[in-house]
Amino acid sequence: MMTNFEKSDYIVYDNAGVCLIEDITVKKFDYWDSERLCYVLRPISNSSSMVFVPVDNEKLTKKMRRIMSKEEIDTILDNVRTRCIIWENDRRRRMEHFKEILSAKNQQDMLLLASCIYAKKKELSAIGKKLSSSDEMILKETERFVNEEFAFSLKLSTGQVAEYIQAKLYQ
């Protein structure tokens, strides 16, 4: 079976974030009928953790993608500059929409999501109010995914990512 990724590649995998493909090897777990060829992933944010992704499991391998290049990141930032997500006042529908965006792990949509929540946060702050805890939690999770990949790709600290994004969006 052909694999799309190779040992020593850095990829983004679902909720694990940026991972190193430490190995591609045959594994057998009790809950599998037989041995399977697996990607062995080590998340950079938790080096004591390992994730095993069967190469033949299309549902799981679709959650793997290559790390974006600086050029791809800059293109996304150019595209985000002229777009926005409209704040949904109905909390239930808003949370459904926000969770869909987070689940898809599309960096452009996550940047738009963060921008939408930041704008609402600023608006509420101006009148002495705060975001709901669920909106704040979505924002933190969005920031985590964006910051981790951008910091890795751009060779920045996670603290420098916001400055980089701001500079690109408002140049």
Side-chain angles (χ1 to χ4, degrees), residues 44 73 143-166:
I44 66 166
I73 290 171
E143 288 174 329
R144 182 178 75 84
F145 283 111
V146 170
N147 284 342
E148 185 177 296
E149 182 174 6
F150 282 26
F152 185 86
S153 293
L154 300 169
K155 296 174 180 37
L156 300 172
S157 71
T158 53
Q160 294 172 307
V161 171
E163 294 170 21
Y164 183 87
I165 292 171
Q166 292 290 326

Side-chain angles (χ1 to χ4, degrees), residues 4 6 10 13 21 24 28 31-33 49 63 66 80 90 101 107 111 117 119 125-127 144 152-153 155 158 162:
N4 294 327
E6 296 179 11
Y10 282 93
Y13 180 69
I21 299 179
I24 302 173
K28 171 72 172 98
Y31 47 89
W32 290 347
D33 294 337
S49 176
K63 295 179 179 187
R66 298 206 181 281
V80 166
D90 181 286
I101 292 170
Q107 290 288 29
L111 282 168
I117 297 173
S125 179
I127 58 173
R144 182 178 75 84
F152 185 86
S153 293
K155 296 174 180 37
T158 53

Side-chain angles (χ1 to χ4, degrees), residues 90-106:
D90 181 286
R91 185 181 173 283
R92 184 187 56 77
R93 285 199 309 233
R94 183 175 67 248
M95 283 300 112
E96 283 176 10
H97 183 65
F98 286 0
K99 286 178 181 179
E100 282 174 18
I101 292 170
L102 264 179
S103 177
K105 304 290 185 284
N106 176 291

Side-chain angles (χ1 to χ4, degrees), residues 15 50 54 84 101:
N15 288 334
M50 293 186 93
C84 68
I101 292 170

Side-chain angles (χ1 to χ4, degrees), residues 57-72:
N57 186 325
E58 189 176 344
K59 182 178 178 182
L60 295 179
T61 57
K62 279 187 173 184
K63 295 179 179 187
M64 295 172 65
R65 67 171 172 76
R66 298 206 181 281
I67 297 286
M68 289 188 298
S69 67
K70 178 185 185 311
E71 294 75 23
E72 290 169 320

Side-chain angles (χ1 to χ4, degrees), residues 107-166:
Q107 290 288 29
Q108 183 167 306
D109 291 343
M110 287 195 292
L111 282 168
L112 290 168
L113 174 59
S115 179
C116 174
I117 297 173
Y118 281 135
K120 188 62 170 184
K121 186 174 186 172
K122 186 176 180 179
E123 175 188 318
L124 290 172
S125 179
I127 58 173
K129 294 186 177 184
K130 293 183 177 182
L131 281 175
S132 71
S133 60
S134 52
D135 290 321
E136 195 69 53
M137 190 173 67
I138 294 283
L139 179 59
K140 285 187 186 332
E141 192 69 2
T142 303
E143 288 174 329
R144 182 178 75 84
F145 283 111
V146 170
N147 284 342
E148 185 177 296
E149 182 174 6
F150 282 26
F152 185 86
S153 293
L154 300 169
K155 296 174 180 37
L156 300 172
S157 71
T158 53
Q160 294 172 307
V161 171
E163 294 170 21
Y164 183 87
I165 292 171
Q166 292 290 326

